[in-house]
């Protein structure tokens, strides 16, 4: 339980930091400027490994919303809970689901090979794709999205480690830029409502 609390606390800190930065920029530059500057805070180009070992880039999804979550396939509870929320929310937005690409990026590339990721995400949603990479490409993507993670010893798991990580779902727009995020524990109904609103207002 304590690890879950730590993770949620870290996620809240990161989310709070984002809000803080946007607030600061609002003070410095005014609200119009802060919107464009704030969007640049989270996200960026990535080139990772998808199903069948194929290279998958963020730019492959231009024109669609990316719903991005970072975690790892052996995660006992945090990731399954978050991915289930995404899946349930996507099932509630009707036709708009065509505009959304759910993406699960591993923070444990050493254990999560492309086939492991493909099998894992298929348990959550048919549209979801799992991405892996090298420790370096994963670290770069995680840094761009301000994802905290670290390996910690866990004698009970395969290879004797687990991965603590922040748990935030990122919504990126059809232009690849940050739109909004959802903190851990967001209700699927709330996520679905927000997705519908954003897609309706922005197309
Ligand atoms: Ni997890």
């Amino acid at each position: 339980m304590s690890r879950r609390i730590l993770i949620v606390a870290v996620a809240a800190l990161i989310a709070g930091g984002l809000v803080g930065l946007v607030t600061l920029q609002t003070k410095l530059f005014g609200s119009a400027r802060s919107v464009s500057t704030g969007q640049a805070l989270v996200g960026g180009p990535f080139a990772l490994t998808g199903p069948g070992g194929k290279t998958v880039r963020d730019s492959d999804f231009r024109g669609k919303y990316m719903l991005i979550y970072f975690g790892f396939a052996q995660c006992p509870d945090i990731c399954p809970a978050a991915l289930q929320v995404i899946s349930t929310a996507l099932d509630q937005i009707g036709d708009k689901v065509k505009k959304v690409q759910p993406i699960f990026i591993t923070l444990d590339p050493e254990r999560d090979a492309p086939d492991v990721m493909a099998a894992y995400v298929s348990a959550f949603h048919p549209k979801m794709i799992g991405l892996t990479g090298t420790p370096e490409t994963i670290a770069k993507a995680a840094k761009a999205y301000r994802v905290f993670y670290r390996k910690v010893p866990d004698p009970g798991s395969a290879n004797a480690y687990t991965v603590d990580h922040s748990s935030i779902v990122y919504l990126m727009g059809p232009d690849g830029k940050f739109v909004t995020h959802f903190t851990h524990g967001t209700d699927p109904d709330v996520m679905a409502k927000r997705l519908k609103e954003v897609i309706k207002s922005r197309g």
Side-chain angles (χ1 to χ4, degrees), residues 2-198:
S2 63
R3 176 165 296 149
R4 173 188 281 267
I5 291 164
L6 167 72
I7 290 166
V8 173
V10 168
L13 273 176
I14 292 169
L18 294 177
V19 173
L21 282 168
V22 172
T23 306
L24 176 64
Q25 282 163 352
T26 304
K27 281 177 185 157
L28 291 174
F29 302 117
S31 58
R33 175 71 182 275
S34 79
V35 172
S36 58
T37 316
Q39 286 174 340
L41 291 171
V42 174
F46 60 73
L48 298 170
T49 309
K54 209 177 125 219
T55 298
V56 174
R57 298 170 198 280
D58 64 298
S59 54
D60 296 343
F61 304 111
R62 288 297 178 275
K64 283 194 170 192
Y65 290 84
M66 297 186 293
L67 204 51
I68 301 181
Y69 184 77
F70 290 77
F72 67 114
Q74 288 188 29
C75 185
D77 50 10
I78 302 288
C79 292
L83 295 174
Q84 190 58 53
V85 168
I86 291 173
S87 174
T88 305
L90 290 177
D91 286 342
Q92 291 179 19
I93 64 170
D95 266 7
K96 291 189 171 65
V97 74
K98 290 182 195 153
K99 298 275 288 180
V100 183
Q101 177 60 59
I103 301 172
F104 180 51
I105 300 177
T106 185
L107 296 168
D108 187 10
E110 287 149 46
R111 289 188 293 201
D112 290 344
D115 59 328
V116 173
M117 291 297 280
Y120 185 72
V121 296
S122 71
F124 291 97
H125 197 277
K127 285 198 72 180
M128 193 176 288
I129 65 161
L131 301 182
T132 184
T134 65
E136 292 75 23
T137 58
I138 292 294
K140 187 168 175 251
K143 190 177 177 198
Y145 282 83
R146 296 170 182 260
V147 171
F148 160 87
Y149 68 110
R150 64 168 183 191
K151 268 190 192 183
V152 289
D154 180 8
S157 80
N159 305 335
Y161 70 88
T162 187
V163 183
D164 281 356
H165 63 93
S166 50
S167 180
I168 295 178
V169 178
Y170 300 94
L171 179 65
M172 312 302 285
D175 56 359
K177 292 190 175 136
F178 177 79
V179 175
T180 191
H181 71 274
F182 302 95
T183 54
H184 193 81
T186 294
D187 190 281
D189 298 353
V190 172
M191 188 181 287
K193 185 166 177 278
R194 186 84 176 98
L195 287 172
K196 283 195 277 191
E197 284 167 0
V198 168

